[in-house]
Amino acid sequence: MLEQLTGHEDPHPIYERLRAHGPLTTDGGMWVTTSHALAGRILRDRRFGVRPADGAFAGGASLLPESFLELDPPDHTRLRRLATPAFSPRKIAEYRARVERVADALLASAGDEFDLIGDFAAPLPISVISDLLGIPDEDTAEFADYGALVAASFDSGVTPEMANANDKVLALFDRLISQRRRTPGDDVISSLVAAEAEQRLTPREMLGTLVLLLVAGFETTVNLIGNGTRALLDHPAQWRLFLDNQDLAPAVVEETLRWASPVQLTSRIAHEPVDGIGAGEWVTLLIGAANRDPEVYPEPHEFDVLRVHKPEHLAFSSGMHYCLGATLARMEGDVALRALARHVPGLRQAGAATFRDSVVIRGMRSFPVSRS
Ligand code: HEM
């Protein structure tokens, strides 16, 4: 059933058909779960990993240097630890004022009619992660195009276009790395270069980490902002509620993550037999479906910003791969929504949205809106 999914249609009817078969079922010869409880348990269970127990690369041919998202302990633990300090709640709180300035500037320069994605939701996270990684402004556009291609490769595999872009970006990162070796700054590249000098990671692992941060930073938060804005405009009573009380921003962010999860699925492989799942067998965890599990969320298909989120949705996954950028993404979503409420309270949809093709990353390609 999952192979029938397209990037632009509502996936939930298919998720519900799978849910009817119980918490764990098979689809196209693969285990699949729609259950919040089971998906959460698998994500936290050390008997599952992200690659086969013999360490073979799981995803087939790839040009990308591997990142810790695709690694099990002990490598995962070592590499994640090196990237973690840049995402501490204190660091993120320090970035907030900068993100506010970028959001204000983008909305101030947008016309009466603009594309919410191209003119606001995409450039905001691109600017934030470029800053965090220390990517100079003149290189940002090239990195952004590359991020989009890598994200597309999650669905379609590696294309020749992608291979080209890959070479270019690795060369760009190489240049930035050599520059930071000479003159370290206060950015992630500099701190990874220092770790490499102490042989705590290899040059290839450093590249893998940088590409992961780049793609994760570019390609997910844009959809949190886009999906959240669209949900609010499609539910005018909730948009009014938010306009009247902008401190609801964190609640809108959480409900968007649950109801329109930017990352819809992930997978894990059993390293030993677990409850009927054989060693070496993969399980697809449908995050988007788990986040609408009626056992956890009453009226799960309703978008309700006043909902109580207990337990937490799985939009950021769970367990050891829990999204490292969650605090950053939440802050960016919060800042973006408040900026919209302040600058364009009369916002309305001004044309048909177009959607991304991906079934993994859900969001819009363009969303025409008007200020009034
Ligand atoms: C709304 C925005 C975001 C969503 C929905 C999201 C979602 C996710 C999910 C579901 C995973 C885990 C996948 C799995 O368990 O297989 C993940 C991992 C990760 N995310 Fe995010 N993410 C977002 C934003 C960000 C940002 C802004 C960054 C920072 C640049 C980031 C960095 C990472 C990293 C480094 C990992 C790998 C963690 C690990 O393997 O230990 N994410 N993210």
Side-chain angles (χ1 to χ4, degrees):
M1 257 184 253
L2 289 174
E3 77 276 7
Q4 295 163 24
L5 275 177
T6 66
H8 44 272
E9 268 162 353
D10 179 6
H12 290 281
I14 288 182
Y15 295 165
E16 291 312 319
R17 270 152 61 200
L18 289 167
R19 198 192 307 283
H21 295 285
L24 185 67
T25 178
T26 51
D27 182 64
M30 182 102 94
W31 293 107
V32 46
T33 179
T34 52
S35 154
H36 184 286
L38 184 58
R41 261 205 317 279
I42 290 175
L43 289 168
R44 290 185 291 270
D45 188 330
R46 292 294 187 115
R47 293 172 296 176
F48 288 89
V50 292
R51 56 198 295 144
D54 64 8
F57 181 61
S62 172
L63 296 162
L64 299 174
E66 279 168 292
S67 72
F68 56 87
L69 179 61
E70 302 147 298
L71 291 171
D72 290 323
D75 293 329
H76 170 264
T77 325
R78 171 175 55 89
L79 295 172
R80 179 171 167 125
R81 201 169 281 155
L82 293 175
T84 299
F87 297 92
S88 70
R90 189 181 54 82
K91 276 259 176 267
I92 302 307
E94 283 170 18
Y95 293 138
R96 187 176 176 108
R98 204 199 107 82
V99 181
E100 281 169 350
R101 276 198 303 279
V102 177
D104 288 343
L106 288 169
L107 289 177
S109 65
D112 283 344
E113 291 209 355
F114 61 100
D115 175 12
L116 187 100
I117 304 297
D119 297 326
F120 183 62
L124 184 69
I126 285 176
S127 149
V128 172
I129 194 70
S130 301
D131 198 44
L132 200 140
L133 290 178
I135 294 173
D137 287 348
E138 64 268 21
D139 294 327
T140 303
E142 195 136 18
F143 278 103
D145 291 347
Y146 172 77
L149 282 171
V150 174
S153 76
F154 297 158
D155 288 272
S156 54
V158 176
T159 59
E161 200 188 6
M162 157 96 217
N164 250 332
N166 199 49
D167 289 348
K168 245 196 239 160
V169 146
L170 295 186
L172 271 171
F173 268 135
D174 269 342
R175 181 163 56 71
L176 296 181
I177 289 167
S178 338
Q179 201 192 349
R180 292 314 191 287
R181 280 204 184 103
R182 290 191 303 272
T183 2
D186 180 24
D187 55 58
V188 178
I189 300 184
S190 301
S191 65
L192 291 179
V193 163
E196 190 223 347
E198 294 165 12
Q199 296 181 349
R200 292 158 73 199
L201 85 170
T202 65
R204 193 168 166 80
E205 288 171 339
M206 170 155 65
L207 275 176
T209 302
L210 292 173
V211 171
L212 168 64
L213 297 179
L214 181 79
V215 175
F218 278 9
E219 290 300 314
T220 49
T221 313
V222 50
N223 301 313
L224 165 61
I225 300 170
N227 294 353
T229 308
R230 177 157 170 256
L232 286 170
L233 296 189
D234 282 351
H235 298 83
Q238 312 235 4
W239 175 235
R240 276 194 300 277
L241 205 63
F242 174 51
L243 289 178
D244 288 346
N245 179 4
Q246 289 168 31
D247 289 339
L248 281 174
V252 178
V253 166
E254 292 316 298
E255 182 61 348
T256 302
L257 288 164
R258 183 195 74 82
W259 189 76
S261 311
V263 178
Q264 287 277 312
L265 60 91
T266 185
S267 51
R268 291 295 185 267
I269 185 169
H271 287 167
E272 54 183 270
V274 185
D275 302 337
I277 302 170
E281 291 178 354
W282 285 93
V283 189
T284 300
L285 311 171
L286 290 174
I287 290 174
N291 285 343
R292 293 197 187 188
D293 184 341
E295 305 244 319
V296 178
Y297 303 108
E299 305 296 336
H301 297 291
E302 298 284 309
F303 177 76
D304 175 5
V305 302
L306 299 179
R307 182 185 289 281
V308 176
H309 286 268
K310 282 202 181 106
E312 185 180 325
H313 56 69
L314 295 176
F316 289 128
S317 185
S318 188
M320 72 173 87
H321 291 279
Y322 184 84
C323 176
L324 184 58
T327 310
L328 175 61
R330 285 182 159 123
M331 181 270 276
E332 291 184 58
D334 182 289
V335 167
L337 291 169
R338 285 178 200 260
L340 286 169
R342 244 187 354 263
H343 288 268
V344 286
L347 196 69
R348 60 178 182 81
Q349 185 167 352
T354 59
F355 295 87
R356 300 168 65 116
D357 281 334
S358 175
V359 298
V360 180
I361 298 184
R362 286 258 162 196
M364 292 177 286
R365 214 188 282 286
S366 67
F367 186 40
V369 290
S370 125
R371 284 178 185 266
S372 56

